[in-house]
Amino acid sequence: MSDSNSTPSSGGLTVNNLSFAYGKKTALDNVSFQAHRGRCTILLGPNGAGKSTLFSLVTRLYASKIGSIMVDGRDLSKTTYKALADLGVVFQQATLDMDMSVLQNLRYHAALHGLNRKQTHQRIEQELKRQGMYERRMEKIRQLNGGHRRRVEIARALLHEPSVILLDEPTVGLDIASRQAIVEHMHELVKQDNLAVLWATHLIDEVYENDHLIILHQGRICADGIVSGLLEEFQADDVGQLFQMLTTAQRVA
């Protein structure tokens, strides 16, 4: 496999030998990888590959007795509160209050993270302006289209200045223009803020050539490296062909 450590910066998210099962059904099988700061790490896999299970473990919705998860050097199982405080999450399902304004949603989230009034005002203004949403801060969430709601959720995830961002299929249900805008915007933010981003998707066109790509299939990692290096290693013309090769191949037990 290609060297996934060829990245701009250290730190971020480290997963070591992580396994998880639902009863007798294995969802993740000895998964290890690093998502470094300064680059998008794309977790690409078909439905049922284990992406959602992995995200549930990183956010502590589930806990695994096998393996470890480190968030910027903190062991998630031993310093759970501090490790989770360094995470920003954009879930696949919308989690904004539809009857509250953009501003009210963000103020509520800032309060949960213990930001004082001055910090809250500064952080909300900064993030909404970066998302191009400041002029719409008084509008209720239900008045916004899907792409703009996603921008509010990204602003919310960044409010407390986390070092690691989890994006769980963030563009599902968006039109092509909105989806492309979100993908470009997040790639820019990664470089601007030196973030570590773990981005779960099944959409090939969301992967950039210099992204760190992890292909997850049947609970196992079958490719891990910079996209350009993986294409050369597996002699694939593009990510779509690479994905097809690795996820349709018969696994040998």
Side-chain angles (χ1 to χ4, degrees):
M1 288 186 183
S2 293
D3 181 9
S4 62
N5 294 327
S6 176
T7 47
S9 181
S10 59
L13 178 70
T14 303
V15 174
N16 282 317
N17 307 119
L18 191 65
S19 295
F20 188 83
Y22 299 96
K24 294 182 179 180
K25 180 176 172 55
T26 299
L28 293 174
D29 184 7
N30 197 32
V31 168
S32 297
F33 67 88
Q34 287 184 285
H36 289 276
R37 297 180 75 158
R39 176 169 275 141
C40 275
T41 296
I42 307 294
L43 184 65
L44 189 64
N47 291 334
K51 302 190 301 295
S52 294
T53 299
L54 177 60
F55 270 54
S56 295
L57 290 167
V58 177
T59 56
R60 292 293 282 182
L61 181 61
Y62 303 150
S64 176
K65 296 178 182 178
I66 304 172
S68 65
I69 300 169
M70 308 285 288
V71 180
D72 237 10
R74 295 190 179 95
D75 190 321
L76 189 58
S77 66
K78 296 175 181 176
T79 56
T80 304
Y81 177 77
K82 288 183 178 180
L84 288 177
D86 219 14
L87 281 177
V89 186
V90 177
F91 296 101
Q92 182 176 345
Q93 299 296 324
T95 54
L96 296 167
D97 189 315
M98 302 291 283
D99 293 315
M100 290 169 62
S101 69
V102 170
L103 193 57
Q104 288 171 325
N105 269 277
L106 296 188
R107 281 176 175 167
Y108 178 72
H109 186 76
L112 291 178
H113 280 277
L115 274 64
N116 63 37
R117 185 175 294 184
K118 183 179 179 180
Q119 289 172 320
T120 296
H121 176 77
Q122 289 175 340
R123 294 295 301 141
I124 288 176
E125 181 176 353
Q126 178 183 344
E127 292 306 330
L128 286 181
K129 284 182 175 178
R130 286 209 295 178
Q131 307 296 332
M133 292 296 295
Y134 187 69
E135 300 304 319
R136 307 191 69 170
R137 64 192 182 281
M138 304 307 294
E139 294 182 32
K140 289 187 177 180
I141 298 300
R142 68 171 65 256
Q143 295 175 280
L144 305 177
N145 64 30
H148 288 145
R149 291 177 190 177
R150 275 298 186 219
R151 286 180 177 270
V152 175
E153 289 182 309
I154 292 168
R156 182 182 62 179
L158 292 167
L159 272 187
H160 59 291
E161 298 181 288
S163 63
V164 179
I165 300 289
L166 304 180
L167 301 172
D168 187 8
E169 305 263 7
T171 63
V172 165
L174 300 185
D175 60 67
I176 293 173
S178 296
R179 191 159 65 82
Q180 187 174 12
I182 293 292
V183 172
E184 290 176 359
H185 184 60
M186 281 309 306
H187 278 84
E188 289 171 7
L189 285 178
V190 167
K191 290 182 283 188
Q192 287 176 14
D193 291 7
N194 196 31
L195 297 169
V197 169
L198 181 62
W199 183 319
T201 185
H202 63 276
L203 301 169
I204 304 295
D205 63 349
E206 294 185 353
V207 185
Y208 285 17
E209 190 177 44
N210 64 342
D211 284 341
H212 173 200
L213 176 64
I214 296 169
I215 296 181
L216 189 66
H217 182 49
Q218 297 177 352
R220 297 179 184 177
I221 291 176
C222 50
D224 179 358
I226 305 306
V227 171
S228 55
L230 289 174
L231 295 181
E232 183 178 349
E233 179 182 342
F234 289 95
Q235 297 184 326
D237 294 331
D238 52 39
V239 174
Q241 186 184 51
L242 174 67
F243 182 72
Q244 192 76 7
M245 286 168 53
L246 295 176
T247 59
T248 57
Q250 292 294 318
R251 301 195 71 91
V252 179

